[in-house]
Amino acid sequence: QPQLQASGPGLVKPSETLSLTCTVSGDSINNGNYYWGWIRQPPGKGLEWVGNIYSSGLTYYNPSLESRTSISVDTSKNQFFLRLKSVTAADTGVYFCARGNVWKSPWVWGQGTLAAVSS
Amino acid sequence: DIQMTQFPSFVSASVGDRVTITCRASQTIEDWVAWFQQSPGKAPKTVMYRASTLENGVPVRFSGSGSGTEFTLTIDTLQPEDFATYYCQQYKSFPWTFGQGTRVDIK
């Protein structure tokens, strides 16, 4: 099983951009069998899908976040990234990165990272 | 968007009990449903995918069923480590959506 570890600044000011990194070990992010995604969870609430990136470079985003969201990959570092622009307090939560397989389990979960939006 | 209505939102049960959780999709999603278990402060863990396929390493007391719009996750002979919150998710079409969660608590 791969290991995925999300990391980020922890605290972001309102209207700024949240930038998160997911570092993958034990698997190549180039593996065409998989896609890579972000899911978030506000404090005390449920899970919300943010978006996916596929080995082709194709991305899909939650329409509720699409205008502010960008997911990208750095294959040389075996990492993928989430950028969320113009954040508000509603973007506060734990952000999980995960790996999916189209024909098998949709998610192998990584450890999340807490992102708090506050001035 | 496909809405996933999950119920009950809370279950109080004892060790050894059988627990069933249901998710209803707002439109047909074939068997593109997964179930996740989340303990407090932890990342979710996949329990089931394609409605009824057990994830590697998950005990066989977990089972899933359903297709179309109605899906169930059943835990037979509840164990102490099963007390957690469970979520369903459809991945038939974007945007992927989750159910609201079911908390399984100790009676």
Side-chain angles (χ1 to χ4, degrees):
Chain A
Q1 288 281 50
Q3 302 292 319
L4 296 95
Q5 179 64 57
S7 59
L11 183 64
V12 184
K13 289 183 168 52
S15 80
E16 293 189 344
T17 296
L18 171 65
S19 296
L20 301 177
T21 299
C22 184
T23 301
V24 180
S25 57
D27 201 353
S28 170
I29 208 163
N30 260 331
N31 190 325
N33 292 321
Y34 303 126
Y35 54 86
W36 309 88
W38 292 93
I39 302 100
R40 71 180 187 176
Q41 185 170 37
K45 296 190 176 179
L47 301 166
E48 180 182 36
W49 174 74
V50 175
N52 295 353
I53 187 164
Y54 291 75
S55 57
S56 62
L58 196 59
T59 52
Y60 293 92
Y61 301 120
N62 193 319
S64 67
L65 303 169
E66 185 163 13
S67 63
R68 302 190 290 128
T69 306
S70 173
I71 297 176
S72 59
V73 166
D74 185 335
T75 55
S76 67
K77 295 183 179 178
N78 224 38
Q79 294 175 324
F80 63 105
F81 310 97
L82 171 67
R83 284 173 57 88
L84 185 64
K85 300 186 296 186
S86 305
V87 296
T88 70
D91 296 310
T92 292
V94 176
Y95 285 73
F96 297 101
C97 58
R99 184 202 80 182
N101 184 315
V102 174
W103 299 110
K104 296 188 176 180
S105 176
W107 296 124
V108 171
W109 297 81
Q111 292 306 306
T113 187
L114 176 63
V117 179
S118 174
S119 54
Chain B
D1 298 5
I2 297 174
Q3 307 302 317
M4 298 297 286
T5 302
Q6 184 175 343
F7 53 91
S9 56
F10 182 82
V11 172
S12 183
S14 301
V15 171
D17 284 354
R18 185 185 207 202
V19 168
T20 297
I21 302 167
T22 300
C23 253
R24 188 170 289 150
S26 59
Q27 61 191 79
T28 183
I29 54 172
E30 300 173 43
D31 64 351
W32 295 98
V33 160
W35 292 92
F36 310 103
Q37 176 194 65
Q38 188 179 33
S39 297
K42 303 282 191 181
K45 171 187 164 185
T46 301
V47 171
M48 200 77 57
Y49 61 94
R50 295 298 297 273
S52 61
T53 301
L54 203 61
E55 177 68 290
N56 289 340
V58 174
V60 296
R61 62 180 179 272
F62 288 86
S63 62
S65 66
S67 106
T69 61
E70 189 126 338
F71 304 88
T72 60
L73 175 71
T74 299
I75 313 170
D76 279 316
T77 320
L78 207 62
Q79 296 299 301
E81 59 268 30
D82 301 335
F83 292 96
T85 299
Y86 293 83
Y87 295 93
C88 62
Q89 181 211 318
Q90 68 81 17
Y91 53 117
K92 166 66 176 173
S93 64
F94 293 110
W96 292 357
T97 45
F98 290 87
Q100 301 93 323
T102 296
R103 180 175 159 186
V104 179
D105 216 351
I106 302 173
K107 186 182 288 183

